[in-house]
Amino acid sequence: MPIPLVDLKAQYAALKTEIDAAMQRVVTNTSFILGKEVSEFEKNFAAFCHTQHCIGTDSGTAALHLALLLCDVKPGDEVITTTHTFIATAEVISVIGAKPVFVDIDPRTYNIDPTQIERAITPRTKALIPVHLYGQPAEMDPILDVARQHNLCVIEDAAQAHGAEYRGRRAGTMGDLACFSYYPGKNLGAYGDAGALVTNNTEFAERARMLRDHGRREKYTHQIVGYGYRLDALQAAILGAKLPHLDAWNARRRAIADYYTELFKNLDIVTPYVPAHITPVYHIYCIRVHSDNRDGLQKHLKACGIEAGIHYPIPLHLQPVYQNLGYQAGNLPHAEKAANEILSLPIYPEMTDAKVQQVVDAVKEFYR
Ligand SMILES: *Cc1c(COP(=O)(O)O)cnc(C)c1O
């Protein structure tokens, strides 16, 4: 039996009754946009994150865009983020006409290196977007310290980190705002595009609700220029059916990750580094091998019917779209090196112990 990186079929099979009922409820009510399904889910997801407000959006990218607008990021401003992330994190900065400023990673955690943020700050810097990559929170205390000293807005990109914790605080509670994605393969996934913004700032929350829905509070009165960024009821109902299982799913991901890490101990593989004050949720289980071996290992796994991925093969500062920013190979060496050495192995809550063992055996076979 082949093993995919993520198996969404197994999750649907396990929750079919609840999910089918949720979808049927929306179709029967024919209340498809916003409404009770969305507000119920928002309330429950805010409770899950330990934040006061959750505003559903039609993607994580839309949530990031709104977050930058709320932080008053304008054309010509600069926003600091990590180079080792999905393009959406930086794309929204560019969409506003602001400039992404990329910082290198801590090579052990793959997250933004807090000690390199200060030197990237200029008088134009408005905000910081730390990303909790692979479901592991960025080193937030020093990041928040720098932000406070320089009066910068902090937006957590928590698209991969639903339920992860940093010193007992949940991802999404530490910055001024945080953005989540419910892209189907994320730890909490919709059946289409969906996302959310969470915050404890009531002013931000009220403005976000207007911005995502054409700048209005009432049907035909538009206060500000807004967007069509609403979360739809079908996605909210599906997410609502899944949410009660999320903590258990994350715990199962941790168990699988611990199992991998234990069994890879004697191989020439770097397994994830998790400081004691962090509880990750392993959206991705990323190992690191010699760059000479990486593609060979991926091919070997493929031949064994095991899918492995690379998150992400090209750091953002070297992407064709960002050539105009003037970065060159060698500028952010830790991220560049990691991009050639990382490999993501299958991990999803429904993955059986036997399948985990199958992956371990295939990896061991490659090194024999
Ligand atoms: C998935 C993801 C996004 C974008 O979310 P969408 O819902 O696909 O728009 C942003 N940042 C990171 C780190 C992601 O993994």
Side-chain angles (χ1 to χ4, degrees):
M1 280 292 276
I3 306 179
L5 259 181
V6 197
D7 187 351
L8 299 178
K9 284 186 187 146
Q11 192 185 69
Y12 177 59
L15 287 189
K16 186 173 180 344
T17 315
E18 289 116 293
I19 290 175
D20 286 359
M23 291 195 288
Q24 194 56 57
R25 194 171 66 234
V26 175
V27 174
T28 305
N29 290 340
T30 67
S31 173
F32 294 112
I33 304 294
L34 296 178
K36 190 163 156 275
E37 295 286 350
V38 172
S39 55
E40 272 293 301
F41 172 71
E42 288 174 337
K43 195 182 80 195
N44 293 333
F45 193 72
F48 174 86
C49 292
H50 306 163
T51 58
Q52 279 178 44
H53 309 283
C54 168
I55 300 95
T57 57
D58 62 358
S59 71
T61 307
L64 283 163
H65 185 194
L66 294 184
L68 287 171
L69 295 171
L70 292 167
C71 291
D72 201 31
V73 174
K74 293 205 159 65
D77 289 340
E78 293 177 6
V79 177
I80 295 172
T81 191
T82 167
T83 188
H84 188 63
T85 179
F86 181 59
I87 184 74
T89 312
E91 209 173 24
V92 289
I93 302 167
S94 308
V95 160
I96 284 185
K99 182 178 152 194
V101 174
F102 296 114
V103 166
D104 208 354
I105 55 170
D106 176 332
R108 295 170 308 170
T109 63
Y110 309 104
N111 276 323
I112 193 167
D113 179 354
T115 66
Q116 297 197 42
I117 292 174
E118 191 136 38
R119 78 179 77 129
I121 295 174
T122 76
R124 312 217 71 142
T125 311
K126 268 277 183 64
L128 280 179
I129 312 183
V131 179
H132 306 317
L133 200 73
Y134 305 153
Q136 175 155 330
E139 197 48 64
M140 287 305 288
D141 277 348
I143 292 172
L144 294 168
D145 280 346
V146 180
R148 220 170 287 127
Q149 281 160 30
H150 296 268
N151 203 20
L152 306 176
C153 196
V154 177
I155 300 164
E156 294 170 67
D157 182 341
Q160 303 187 0
H162 323 65
E165 290 185 3
Y166 175 85
R167 299 192 189 281
R169 286 123 81 195
R170 282 218 155 172
T173 58
M174 297 173 276
D176 297 285
L177 296 143
C179 301
F180 287 89
S181 166
Y182 308 121
Y183 183 85
K186 296 285 161 78
N187 287 32
L188 179 62
Y191 285 179
D193 273 313
L197 209 146
V198 302
T199 183
N200 286 322
N201 181 321
T202 303
E203 253 169 67
F204 279 167
E206 281 173 7
R207 203 169 166 82
R209 282 183 199 289
M210 284 205 284
L211 281 171
R212 75 160 172 194
D213 189 24
H214 303 293
R216 65 184 162 189
R217 284 197 204 95
E218 301 150 76
K219 188 151 188 180
Y220 292 119
T221 312
H222 304 272
Q223 311 286 346
I224 53 177
V225 173
Y227 300 82
Y229 279 175
R230 296 171 303 225
L231 174 64
D232 72 70
L234 206 48
Q235 300 307 341
I238 291 161
L239 291 166
K242 290 184 174 195
L243 183 58
H245 303 277
L246 183 51
D247 279 325
W249 286 339
N250 285 339
R252 174 67 187 151
R253 284 174 181 272
R254 279 192 290 274
I256 293 168
D258 291 348
Y259 193 55
Y260 272 142
T261 296
E262 175 65 26
L263 293 175
F264 290 149
K265 234 187 203 153
N266 300 318
L267 298 182
D268 197 11
I269 285 178
V270 179
T271 50
Y273 166 77
V274 185
H277 57 277
I278 282 177
T279 307
V281 292
Y282 291 103
H283 171 59
I284 281 167
Y285 183 86
C286 179
I287 59 168
R288 193 163 176 161
V289 300
H290 286 294
S291 56
D292 296 347
N293 283 339
R294 200 265 307 270
D295 296 349
L297 176 56
Q298 190 177 18
K299 274 202 200 93
H300 169 75
L301 292 174
K302 193 170 179 211
C304 299
I306 296 163
E307 189 186 6
I310 299 167
H311 300 94
Y312 297 91
I314 306 172
L316 297 190
H317 70 284
L318 299 180
Q319 287 284 354
V321 65
Y322 283 133
Q323 269 180 9
N324 63 323
L325 296 179
Y327 291 97
Q328 283 168 0
N331 286 162
L332 303 174
H334 289 308
E336 291 168 29
K337 189 161 189 290
N340 293 323
E341 298 178 351
I342 50 176
L343 193 66
S344 313
L345 299 181
I347 191 163
Y348 50 92
E350 298 77 14
M351 195 176 177
T352 59
D353 290 351
K355 287 208 159 102
V356 180
Q357 188 63 52
Q358 208 179 315
V359 175
V360 171
D361 291 344
V363 171
K364 284 193 170 163
E365 193 181 65
F366 177 80
Y367 281 98
R368 205 170 291 135

